[in-house]
Amino acid sequence: MTALGPWVPAAMAADPQEYTTTLRPTGNADLDDALRASSDLLSLQKTQAVSPFALTGRIHNDYSRLISALESYGFYAGGITVTVTDGGGKSGAPAAGNHDGRDPDLPEWMQSIPAGHKAQITISAQPGVPFRIGVVTLNPDRGDPPVHLNADEIRAFGMKSGMPAQAESVLAAGVTLQTALTEEGYALASVSKPQAWLRPDTHTLDIAYTVHRGPVVNLGAFDFAGLQRTHPAYIARRLTIAPGELYQPSRIERARQDIASTGLFSDVQVNHGDTLASDGSMPLDFSFREGKRHSVGAEGGYSTDLGGRAGVTWTHNNLFGNAERLRLTALITGLGGSAEQGLGYDFYADLLKPDFGSRNQNMSARLEGIKQELYSYRQTALLARIGIVRRVNRRWNVSFGGQIEQEQIQQMRTNNSYFIASLPLSANYDGTGVDNPITPATHGVRLGASITPSASLTDGTSFFAIMQATVSTYFDLKALGLSRPGRSVLAWRGTIGNVEGASTFAIPPDQRLYAGGSATVRGFRYQGVGPQFANTRYAIGGTSMDAGSFEYRQRIMQKFGAVGFIDAGQVTADRTPFQGTVRVGAGAGARYYTPIGPVRLDVAVPLNRPARGDKWELYVGLGETF
């Protein structure tokens, strides 16, 4: 009597049998991949060894699995051969002979394989003649009229005589036909799994589908479940579908994704039943899981010119139940920068009202207090602005609004107070296909243009208008066959600005044009390019500015990258751009790519440093420079 009892076959109690499996190629790479993926012998051979009896069962199971793989590729007259031999080992010569996988004596034979030897299993597939589609029949469901497909439905179905009889294509044809029918408004349409008949004499496969159309259906009433703070009326206005419109699953899914994109919800689902309402429409059931209303974040950055900045942000989402967002931010600035004379602050409150007046229009308002201890000037200001951003289409948006600012500015020991009112207008184009501004662009063009009519209302009124334009473009070297997509990118940026209506000293210092720093010319400190007060490092500013940048961006492995760049720019008190002394900076940087965007570290040096200019600059931030 064994430990397992006298009724257990001896093979079950035998020592585990290790083995290796070889699949002989068929000459069809795709078929070989399917056979390899279907074989338990292959997928399980590296797991714990099993007894000869269990290994025999694994071999028997593989026959049906491999035959199914052959049939899925249209080989319905194929066969599978499995042979087992003693693969040998360190303990001696292998046993002679081989055994068929269906041999009833296989378990007993494998018990005779010496300890330390591996069984060698060889799988051979004989595909035979490939079958093709024969007769294709579309049968109506009981009580339905005969099935007649229109041109669009025929294209979607795609199944016809003479095609390879592959299971994947046969099944997919029914699915795509059902999808096409539902997109035409047949909400209850169904296409059954096909029946199939083998015709060995002609090597064909006849198939038949049962098709039910049902009535053309419009959308019915919408039910919103799970809304706790969000007003149902806001959801109804935001939705891109409405009751009474034609039922189309693709439009319903786009509407669901659009609602999910508001950021209000951690989950948005939409479902409907299998029956219609009494009026023949299809009701939809939306279910929502609202996200957190409050969040706290940290913000920071560093450059040698502006120093460090650090602070916190507190956000209140869905403030009044219509997706409004209130964000409070407190920042300490000027921590050790070469363009700073001391610490400053930036406190502001932002209120965003989405879908203001219309679906593609947002209203934003800001109240802000600023203190800056720059070498160019010292500023303490309170400003308030309100604006509207309208999305014209997928690539264009425009904005307009109003701003007032009360400020105290000291420049060269002279203190002045200003009250400035302005009406900023801007237009932006983004053809890069990148939705998140932090995600690096690899192709396309971005354009931005603004004009800000302003009036300084202290000590007499002066009117001026600030005009600026920026263009950046990106070129992927994949287009020249020199790299893989997104790995090597050339990037250019050009900026031009002009102030009309007043001379330099008639404009408040913070409204003048400057260059230098990461936004224009790296290697020069912030506001370090352009006219300076004599024998100082204090910038005067100007009424015209132009700057350009070129970068070569190279991804390295998965998460790292390197950048080489050169910048140039100039500022002048002449209202004509491209005047003054051109300053040029160059440098290199490293990138570490995170899920939210690249962490950027750039080092730049001036190639024609002015008197009292910095010898080098370092910049740290999130996202590419442009």
Side-chain angles (χ1 to χ4, degrees), residues 563-608:
V563 173
F565 58 84
I566 185 167
D567 301 341
Q570 56 197 335
V571 176
T572 178
D574 191 326
R575 295 194 186 93
T576 304
F578 308 107
Q579 302 291 322
T581 301
V582 177
R583 297 296 180 183
V584 182
R591 303 290 184 265
Y592 178 75
Y593 295 92
T594 72
I596 60 172
V599 177
R600 178 182 77 252
L601 186 150
D602 288 335
V603 178
V605 296
L607 300 187
N608 54 345

Side-chain angles (χ1 to χ4, degrees), residues 270-284:
V270 57
N271 298 286
H272 61 74
D274 297 328
T275 58
L276 302 178
S278 58
D279 61 356
S281 64
M282 176 59 76
L284 296 182

Side-chain angles (χ1 to χ4, degrees), residues 76 91 98 198 252 286 309 317 367 449:
Y76 291 91
S91 59
N98 57 65
L198 278 176
I252 295 171
F286 287 84
R309 55 188 286 119
N317 292 306
L367 183 64

Side-chain angles (χ1 to χ4, degrees), residues 305-389:
D305 54 356
L306 290 177
R309 55 188 286 119
V312 295
T313 296
W314 179 83
T315 303
H316 185 130
N317 292 306
N318 209 13
L319 183 62
F320 303 120
N322 297 299
E324 302 90 351
R325 185 190 70 203
L326 175 65
R327 178 169 291 169
L328 306 179
T329 300
L331 296 169
I332 300 298
T333 62
L335 299 169
S338 62
E340 301 272 1
Q341 299 186 67
L343 291 178
Y345 59 75
D346 189 1
F347 301 153
Y348 57 88
D350 281 330
L351 176 64
L352 174 67
K353 169 64 176 172
D355 304 319
F356 180 75
S358 69
R359 180 185 149 71
N360 292 316
Q361 189 166 272
N362 298 335
M363 184 273 288
S364 63
R366 169 176 285 200
L367 183 64
E368 183 171 16
I370 301 173
K371 180 181 180 182
Q372 298 185 92
E373 298 281 338
L374 302 170
Y375 268 100
S376 302
Y377 54 82
R378 298 185 178 189
Q379 176 195 34
T380 303
L382 179 66
L383 62 87
R385 65 170 174 254
I386 188 168
I388 291 176
V389 178

Side-chain angles (χ1 to χ4, degrees), residues 227-247:
L227 296 179
Q228 299 177 357
R229 306 177 187 90
T230 308
H231 295 154
Y234 170 73
I235 301 298
R237 291 194 305 270
R238 173 81 191 193
L239 279 173
T240 56
I241 55 176
E245 296 179 349
L246 181 67
Y247 171 93

Side-chain angles (χ1 to χ4, degrees), residues 258-271:
D258 179 74
I259 291 294
S261 71
T262 62
L264 296 176
F265 307 103
S266 60
D267 186 53
V268 179
Q269 298 293 330
V270 57
N271 298 286

Side-chain angles (χ1 to χ4, degrees), residues 198-212:
L198 278 176
R199 308 300 184 195
D201 293 341
T202 58
H203 297 113
T204 58
L205 182 72
D206 295 344
I207 52 177
Y209 302 83
T210 299
V211 179
H212 171 68

